[in-house]
DNA sequence: GAGTGGTCTAGACCACTGT
DNA sequence: CAGTGGTCTAGACCACTCC
């Protein structure tokens, strides 16, 4: 039962993962502590620690001081979505990126936006992103003018709301939701697709501390898929 | 210019992140190397290394040996999706989980499945997951019998394909894609929704090494949202 | 070749938490 | 209280890659 005594944390991680997958260590059971594993693998405890932390981050292990390290009962799959700027998303596919501003005006926000940004008037943007001249995604954005007054004079004819905000306004955290929606008349016209078509969309809200910065809804053109690996 | 000399890697990470957001270090520029930063913060280089690695993982920094550490030009947002088992998803909402097998048979797979699992006959499952008695998600799954012959005798009337596979078959990696689709007649009937309704769905394929284990398509009931934080 | 990040080590102390 | 993971340190060597 000699274990190949490699001394890098990745090989320790791989071996531990193998034992979990092979059910050497069953879901819910406690695995040996770091000192013992270090002895078994012939490396420093620091190295084992690094490996186990990486697996805990991936959701395969639950670690608690004193209680020890257990194999997760429900090894929920964790997928990391990389939400790039649309421009990067399109050029990464080798297509030509296009951008057209459809609307930019101060207006009274609807209730669900007003709940996020409590002021009578906020900045409202609509824009179409395209790939090789075909509609790629429709953007509908509200920007909190109380937090970002400079947005009033930003050149949104040339730069997308996302790009300008990324370059000019820091944020601390955000929230994303994916959903499916049938294309209403206006969206269908903008995306050049039949009314009633199923569209994949997302809502994203970003905050700086406790103040909401912006809320954007993106509707992708028909057939769009968002992919990731496990 | 005294820096609060905290000695934990999180505080170093926070300070570096602050400087990036504050544009002290502009996107694309090279930041000081680890030795210098360690001197400035009054801590060991290891600690700085841990902090910078965490920021690189988050996408804020690009690090290369010899070239140094640069602030990422396009700080793509990374969101971690936790894809739990449907049963956990439903019970986590405080709803009663229900499961009903609709079909379980060996059959000739369609072309896109056959491309993944090259054999004439594969196991085909359809099942409905419900929350508080209402349809929650419709599952359509193919299982590679060449890889998982035991699936022939698994009790899929009582346990979902996902749950049985998780508990019995290890996998090494997978792929997930989200999409929107209009409800066809059969799906609409199973989900008790009007035909033509927009549904959020996902395709998930999992492999063990180079062999595909299973491919599942999940269609969520109308209105479903998948959320995550940034 | 030389500068930078990547990692390992051995030891130490701390923080949390189950019993 | 005591056992476990969390982290820090100082030094060392290695691996990569730009010049």
């Amino acid at each position: 039962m000699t274990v190949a005594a490699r001394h890098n944390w990745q090989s320790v991680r791989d071996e531990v993962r193998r034992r979990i997958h092979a059910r050497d260590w069953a879901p819910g059971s406690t695995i040996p502590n770091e000192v013992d594993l270090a002895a078994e693998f012939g490396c420093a405890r620091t190295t084992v620690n690094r490996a186990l932390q990486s697996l805990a981050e991936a959701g395969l292990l639950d670690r608690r001081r004193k209680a020890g390290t257990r194999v997760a009962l429900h090894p929920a799959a964790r997928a990391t979505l990389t939400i790039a700027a649309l421009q990067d998303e399109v050029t990464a596919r080798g297509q030509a990126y296009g951008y057209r501003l459809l609307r930019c005006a101060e207006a009274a926000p609807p209730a669900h936006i007003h709940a996020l940004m409590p002021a009578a008037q906020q900045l409202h943007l609509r824009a179409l992103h395209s790939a090789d001249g075909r509609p790629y995604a429709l953007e509908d954005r509200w920007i909190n003018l109380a937090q970002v007054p400079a947005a009033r004079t930003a050149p949104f004819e040339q730069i997308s709301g996302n790009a300008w905000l990324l370059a000019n306004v820091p944020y601390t955290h955000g929230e994303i939701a994916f959903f499916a929606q049938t294309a209403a008349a206006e969206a269908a016209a903008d995306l050049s697709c039949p009314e009633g078509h199923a569209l994949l969309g997302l809502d994203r809200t970003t905050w700086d501390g406790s103040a909401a910065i912006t809320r954007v809804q993106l509707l992708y053109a028909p057939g769009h898929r968002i992919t990731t690996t496990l």
Side-chain angles (χ1 to χ4, degrees), chain A residues 15-145:
Chain A
E15 171 61 13
V16 170
R17 190 163 46 197
R18 189 195 64 73
R19 293 185 187 181
I20 294 173
H21 282 148
R23 301 277 185 295
D24 289 354
W25 292 330
S29 64
T30 304
I31 76 172
N33 70 29
E34 297 188 346
V35 176
D36 292 349
L37 285 175
E40 187 198 342
F41 290 122
C43 66
R45 179 169 79 94
T46 318
T47 305
V48 172
N49 181 278
R50 184 98 166 84
L52 297 188
Q53 278 199 11
S54 128
L55 290 173
E57 207 173 325
L60 250 71
L61 293 176
D62 280 335
R63 317 192 74 200
R64 280 207 314 254
R65 287 160 150 142
K66 166 74 180 179
T69 300
R70 292 164 168 273
V71 179
L73 269 176
H74 303 292
R78 290 197 191 171
T80 302
L81 282 183
T82 304
I83 316 283
L86 287 174
Q87 173 159 15
D88 299 330
E89 214 172 290
V90 170
T91 54
R93 301 168 151 225
Q95 298 183 296
Y97 172 75
Y99 167 79
R100 184 159 56 91
L101 185 65
L102 302 176
R103 172 188 160 89
C104 175
E106 291 187 40
H112 69 287
I113 302 292
H114 190 266
L116 286 169
M117 315 173 183
Q121 298 280 304
Q122 303 290 5
L123 190 62
H124 184 212
L125 300 179
R126 278 177 70 87
L128 184 68
H129 303 260
S130 59
D132 280 348
R134 283 194 302 276
Y136 183 79
L138 183 62
E139 171 180 350
D140 188 291
R141 179 185 297 272
W142 290 86
I143 299 177
N144 190 346
L145 287 172

Side-chain angles (χ1 to χ4, degrees), chain A residues 187-208:
Chain A
D190 290 335
L191 288 171
S192 316
C193 77
E195 204 174 326
H197 214 105
L199 302 178
L200 179 61
L202 66 84
D203 281 333
R204 181 175 7 166
T205 310
T206 54
W207 284 270
D208 187 18

